[in-house]
Amino acid sequence: MNRHHWWRDAVIYQVYVRSFLDSTGDGIGDLAGVRTGLPYLKKLGVDGIWLSPFYPSPQHDHGYDVADYCDVDPLFGDLAEFDLLVRAARRLGVKVLLDIVPNHCSSEHPWFREALASPPGSAARARFHFADGRGEGGAEPPNNWHAMFGGPAWTRVPDGQWYLHMFTPEQPDWNWRNPEIGAEFDRTLRFWLDRGVDGFRIDVAAGLFKHPGLPDSDDPEADARTRDSVNPLAWNQPEVHDVWRRWRATCDEYAARDGQERLLVGEVSVPTAREHALYVRPDELHQAFFFDLLGAPWNPDAFRKVISEAMQDIAGTGSTVTWVLNNHDQVRTVTRYGEPATEGSGLGAARARAAALLMLALPGAAYIYQGEELGLPEVVDLPDDVLTDPIFHRTGSRARIRDGCRVPLPWSGQASPFGFTSGVEGVKPWLPQPEWFAEHATDRALADTRSFWHLYRDGLQLRSSLPQLGEGTLRWLDTPPGVLAFARGDDLVCAVNFGTAPTPAPVSGTPLLASGPCPDAGVLPGSTAVWWITDPSSTPTP
């Protein structure tokens, strides 16, 4: 593995800070808790961590409404604690990525408060998208755009103008056509790079610029129908690529000083792999999440199609594909692949294990969302009165809410708070943990060699030690119906049986790692992935 280009086949662990580990007993995870958990993550075998936003924020969208980009919210600690975390990670050889939110800020950001206090046409308002309304007295929004989290994308202020927010009213969109915004984010990047971070995960990386005329959308409801369906007038505008060239130049400047590359990985939601590839050209983002695998149904043809398109269009740019199966916005794989969401659907768990082994065998980088390595299902029965997701509060619907994948992690014990918090009397985790979390607690997972945790750990160990895995190419193999198989190098094969019944194995060789019970000779069990070594003389051990 070429360590100078560490990011090309890195495995990064997404830490949702408020749900990882609470060090203060207030029921909310924090940076000190992340620092405490670093040895656990090092033992798992990840190359780095991505921290969800911990900046000062009123928490209307759990930190994605940023009030100050260059500080730490007291809820999570302070800058001194952040520095301790970075130093501890560096000692362990773990990279640290920050989540940066350039599309919008908090309505409590000083610049937005200044804009509200300033008149129409002022320089303060030019940092955002303020516009006069339509209709009699300007009583109608400037256009028909809908917000991603429900409702109109415009809110009126007392003087009659409206401001744009593609998510919630508490998250006004920056006007990136104003050069002040780019200059301010240049300052922000350098602030954190100077504190030793290894890169940034960029929220809404295809956003930022809006069509300059702010025209009506042809189908505004479709633009906001799902989290991944976006308004083309507010998304993927050509000017956004200039921003990523500028940010890449900044990161390359720091890399030139010490030889350590700083990573830019974007949350890019665009319709095709070919459009995705435009974001990872050599002078733009290093990588961008490829969400098509996450969205693919449990079907070998669907998986093969999205993997092939990614390898052709994205890897063809010189970047590597960034694979992901779970994150803080999506239903967890154990539930998504299973029968109607119940705790511990056996079929869903088996498929999630198989999908994990498939992802870790693919060429490129991979991101793991916290709790994925524990086999956590989605918590689907949270009562309405504990839900915090702004999607629920804006729409009244539970259809797309994200609280179920954000419930605090279970670390130990048989009852809530499962070691997540110190259990100060009267303080509970910020979202309630179900009783069945005990079955997925970290202490139990570490003790059980058949657990999800050991599957991930063994897969990561092999991935880091076998030259066939990580960066490179793959070759598809002929398979029986319902089976997907590909070769990495000359002698390693990953095969996945998408069906529930055993089927003849597509290759002969020595099973190296299986997502289920070790297969019999010549047989690939149902809902199982297996890594085979086809040359017995080169068989390693996990």
Side-chain angles (χ1 to χ4, degrees):
M1 185 183 299
N2 186 339
R3 277 295 159 194
H4 179 67
H5 301 297
W6 62 269
W7 51 272
R8 296 184 65 84
D9 54 6
V11 177
I12 305 295
Y13 187 96
Q14 180 188 355
V15 176
Y16 196 70
V17 176
R18 63 167 40 239
S19 295
F20 186 72
L21 184 61
D22 169 25
S23 72
T24 62
D26 65 357
I28 297 174
D30 47 52
L31 294 179
V34 177
R35 180 160 57 91
T36 299
L38 284 175
Y40 162 80
L41 298 176
K42 179 66 175 179
K43 186 174 183 179
L44 181 62
V46 301
D47 298 298
I49 58 174
W50 147 31
L51 301 173
S52 62
F54 51 76
Y55 316 108
S57 165
Q59 303 294 318
H60 290 294
D61 190 19
H62 295 161
Y64 285 91
D65 49 324
V66 181
D68 182 348
Y69 288 86
C70 296
D71 205 348
V72 175
D73 195 301
L75 195 65
F76 304 117
D78 54 26
L79 284 171
E81 179 55 53
F82 175 81
D83 292 339
L84 289 174
L85 169 58
V86 171
R87 288 199 291 271
R90 181 165 288 116
R91 285 194 296 270
L92 291 172
V94 175
K95 304 289 187 182
V96 178
L97 308 182
L98 303 193
D99 204 324
I100 192 165
V101 189
N103 180 72
H104 50 266
C105 65
S106 166
S107 55
E108 296 187 17
H109 190 284
W111 278 8
F112 190 73
R113 293 203 304 267
E114 180 186 357
L116 292 179
S118 300
S122 63
R125 289 202 174 181
R127 296 168 178 152
F128 302 90
H129 295 279
F130 278 85
D132 295 328
R134 300 190 294 192
E136 186 176 350
E140 299 296 324
N143 65 30
N144 65 352
W145 295 1
H146 281 228
M148 298 286 288
F149 289 173
W154 295 90
T155 290
R156 201 174 194 190
V157 300
D159 62 30
Q161 279 205 310
W162 300 73
Y163 69 88
L164 180 69
H165 49 83
M166 293 306 298
F167 290 89
T168 73
E170 294 82 15
Q171 294 167 286
D173 280 38
W174 293 110
N175 176 12
W176 272 85
R177 297 184 188 282
N178 184 329
E180 277 193 89
I181 307 308
E184 182 65 9
F185 275 93
D186 288 346
R187 183 182 75 85
T188 298
L189 260 61
R190 292 180 182 278
F191 176 87
W192 293 110
L193 289 169
D194 289 342
R195 299 192 92 91
V197 305
D198 298 289
F200 302 91
R201 177 266 185 185
I202 304 166
D203 188 60
V204 194
L208 279 61
F209 285 85
K210 280 62 181 174
H211 189 288
L214 300 176
D216 278 345
S217 170
D218 291 337
D219 190 356
E221 292 187 3
D223 295 335
R225 193 167 292 142
T226 71
R227 177 65 175 84
D228 300 318
S229 175
V230 294
N231 180 344
L233 299 171
W235 235 254
N236 202 23
Q237 296 289 302
E239 296 92 339
V240 75
H241 296 282
D242 293 332
V243 176
W244 307 139
R245 292 186 185 99
R246 184 166 167 172
W247 287 25
R248 179 64 175 263
T250 298
C251 288
D252 288 350
E253 173 192 326
Y254 278 78
R257 297 178 188 174
D258 58 16
Q260 301 298 315
E261 288 188 303
R262 274 65 167 188
L263 171 64
L264 297 173
V265 55
E267 181 197 33
V268 174
S269 298
V270 290
T272 67
R274 186 164 298 177
E275 289 174 278
H276 181 115
L278 297 177
Y279 286 81
V280 292
R281 289 175 288 192
D283 61 344
E284 294 193 38
L285 304 179
H286 298 81
Q287 292 177 324
F289 294 112
F290 186 64
F291 293 122
D292 292 35
L293 188 66
L294 182 155
W298 185 252
N299 175 288
D301 293 336
F303 269 62
R304 178 165 179 161
K305 179 177 184 292
V306 300
I307 292 168
S308 295
E309 288 177 352
M311 293 301 298
Q312 174 181 316
D313 294 328
I314 299 170
T317 66
S319 179
T320 55
V321 185
T322 305
W323 307 102
V324 58
L325 289 170
N326 294 271
N327 65 31
H328 64 293
D329 288 329
Q330 302 292 337
V331 174
R332 290 186 179 272
T333 48
V334 171
T335 300
R336 201 166 74 236
Y337 294 149
E339 294 140 354
T342 58
E343 163 265 319
S345 160
L347 182 61
R351 289 172 171 176
R353 291 170 63 94
L357 215 52
L358 179 150
M359 179 180 73
L360 293 177
L362 291 171
Y367 278 65
I368 297 169
Y369 176 50
Q370 67 178 40
E372 180 179 338
E373 82 283 7
L374 301 176
L376 282 180
E378 188 85 353
V379 181
V380 299
D381 55 357
L382 293 168
D384 287 359
D385 62 355
V386 305
L387 296 179
T388 63
D389 194 330
I391 294 176
F392 173 73
H393 293 290
R394 284 182 62 78
T395 66
S397 170
R398 299 175 64 101
R400 295 190 286 133
I401 59 173
R402 302 161 295 168
D403 287 313
C405 67
R406 300 175 176 185
V407 175
L409 292 184
W411 288 89
S412 60
Q414 299 299 314
S416 183
F418 297 109
F420 166 73
T421 186
S422 59
V424 174
E425 186 175 355
V427 175
K428 298 178 180 180
W430 69 278
L431 280 174
Q433 301 160 304
E435 293 181 3
W436 50 262
F437 257 34
E439 299 297 320
H440 301 275
T442 299
D443 60 349
R444 184 173 297 193
L446 290 171
D448 181 1
T449 58
R450 301 165 299 175
S451 69
F452 267 81
W453 192 91
H454 281 272
L455 177 71
Y456 273 79
R457 195 279 307 270
D458 291 348
L460 291 176
Q461 284 188 344
L462 288 169
R463 182 182 165 99
S464 66
S465 62
L466 293 177
Q468 301 96 318
L469 296 173
E471 185 178 354
T473 60
L474 62 77
R475 175 170 49 87
W476 293 110
L477 303 178
D478 293 333
T479 60
V483 174
L484 194 66
F486 54 85
R488 300 295 318 276
D490 294 330
D491 59 354
L492 192 149
V493 169
C494 174
V496 184
N497 184 352
F498 283 76
T500 55
T503 190
V507 295
S508 59
T510 303
L512 183 61
L513 185 61
S515 63
C518 190
D520 296 329
V523 175
L524 180 58
S527 306
T528 297
V530 180
W531 292 357
W532 269 285
I533 289 290
T534 56
D535 178 2
S537 66
S538 64
T539 303
T541 55

